[in-house]
Amino acid sequence: MGNAALGLRERLARPEPLVMGVLNVTPDSFSDGGRYTQIDAAVARAQEMVEEGAELIDIGGESTRPGAEAVALDEERRRVLPLLEALVERVAVALSIDTSKPEIMTEAGAAGVALINDVRALQAPGALAAAAAVDAGVCVMHMQGEPRSMQASPQYGDVVREVGDFLEERVAACVDAGIGRERIMVDPGFGFGKTLDHNLSLLRHLESVVERLDLPLLAGMSRKRMIATLTGGVPADERLYGSLAAAVLAAERGARVLRVHDVRPTVEALAIVQATIEAE
Ligand code: 7PJ
């Protein structure tokens, strides 16, 4: 049975927000040991996140952090495909592949992935067609520039309007390519070619983005620099409290999927949000 059969779409139709756990497989994420050890470690981490309440696991083999260099196709394939195949067999939640490469989309589709998560919004040549041919959802994200240089000097007239315009255009491109609206999620791309003020405007006005696009919205702010900047520059593994506040604010404004590193704390925080939304 393909992992896609686990019903991400049905899950998104329910009102509770869901947590996507981040599983990075860049060389520094599960250091030392051979390839099997790395796969075992990554599978164990995925299982841990599922036990903590993750309903989606996002597998990423290309670092898209500010300043990161591009990764070659073969290298990305080697990082993510054996792991994806192992996870499809061993975890009982939907799997997402964080990629911009059409070849990886096709191969991940054959392996049973449930979501194609593309920070470049399917703009690479061949990506729309590759995603359209896979039986999976897609997440299109806004980014200004490219990871290597995107934080140099991000500029917008009206960030909320421009991000909305871009997402609307990409949704239309998806639909034209044969990707039905029921398969599409959108993401404003926190931290991707945005200053702190841009990120905060997007968060403050997230509800208007949700209403404009009228599609499930994914928000990823976990441990990002915007959290550090607002909390005195704390290192990445000490950004939990700020990350939780950001996830709560996004969920309260209508985000349906929260992409996070700290699954259990986020699941617990979101339980309070959802109970409050449902209260009399
Ligand atoms: C995001 C992502 C995000 C989506 C990364 C990091 C950078 N995919 N992949 N949204 N961020 N859809 O986690 O710091 O915000 S990688």
Side-chain angles (χ1 to χ4, degrees):
M1 182 186 72
N3 183 272
L6 289 164
L8 179 59
R9 198 187 300 167
E10 289 72 18
R11 173 60 186 85
L12 282 168
R14 300 213 312 265
E16 304 83 17
L18 71 96
V19 166
M20 166 192 263
V22 177
L23 189 63
N24 281 323
V25 283
T26 45
D28 46 350
S29 34
F30 293 99
S31 47
D32 44 72
R35 281 189 54 212
Y36 291 101
T37 357
Q38 287 195 28
I39 288 181
D40 287 344
V43 169
R45 176 64 192 135
Q47 286 169 336
E48 187 175 57
M49 291 196 286
V50 171
E51 277 157 30
E52 292 179 1
E55 294 186 75
L56 192 51
I57 301 286
D58 189 40
I59 306 160
E62 183 204 7
S63 178
T64 47
R65 287 174 185 288
E69 295 292 339
V71 175
L73 172 61
D74 277 347
E75 174 62 19
E76 189 177 331
R77 178 186 278 138
R78 203 180 57 74
R79 289 180 190 172
V80 299
L81 277 175
L83 174 60
L84 176 61
E85 283 158 10
L87 287 172
V88 166
E89 298 294 321
R90 288 153 76 179
V91 302
V93 298
L95 299 174
S96 160
I97 187 92
D98 196 336
T99 191
S100 298
K101 295 188 177 68
E103 298 87 347
I104 304 275
M105 294 173 189
T106 303
E107 292 163 27
V113 85
L115 180 72
I116 293 168
N117 173 29
D118 185 3
V119 300
R120 295 181 184 78
L122 304 175
Q123 293 179 102
L128 277 171
V134 169
D135 179 21
V138 303
C139 178
V140 291
M141 196 195 81
H142 175 273
M143 168 161 59
Q144 185 178 91
E146 269 290 308
R148 195 174 48 74
S149 56
M150 66 191 177
Q151 291 307 108
S153 73
Q155 281 174 21
Y156 299 85
D158 176 340
V159 67
V160 177
R161 200 194 65 233
E162 287 167 42
V163 167
D165 288 348
F166 173 85
L167 293 175
E168 220 166 52
E169 185 271 317
R170 294 317 296 160
V171 169
C174 286
V175 171
D176 285 349
I179 303 170
R181 274 181 69 85
E182 72 288 347
R183 290 173 58 189
I184 307 174
M185 262 190 248
V186 295
D187 182 342
F190 289 102
F192 285 86
K194 288 154 189 109
T195 63
L196 176 61
D197 285 348
H198 296 141
N199 289 318
L200 290 173
S201 289
L202 282 167
L203 179 54
R204 174 162 183 206
H205 299 288
L206 202 65
E207 194 159 13
S208 74
V209 180
V210 170
E211 281 170 6
R212 179 171 172 190
L213 275 301
D214 194 26
L215 287 169
L217 183 140
L218 185 154
M221 289 176 279
S222 177
R223 298 188 185 180
K224 283 187 180 169
R225 194 171 300 170
M226 61 181 284
I227 306 295
T229 306
L230 292 168
T231 53
V234 291
D237 61 355
E238 291 172 26
R239 296 178 191 165
L240 172 60
Y241 308 124
S243 298
L244 283 177
V248 164
L249 289 163
E252 201 268 336
R253 287 161 167 74
R256 305 299 324 287
V257 181
L258 285 306
R259 182 182 180 279
V260 307
H261 301 82
D262 302 286
V263 172
R264 172 124 192 255
T266 310
V267 167
E268 291 186 359
L270 294 181
I272 311 306
V273 175
Q274 192 56 26
T276 306
I277 289 172
E278 289 173 8
E280 298 277 315

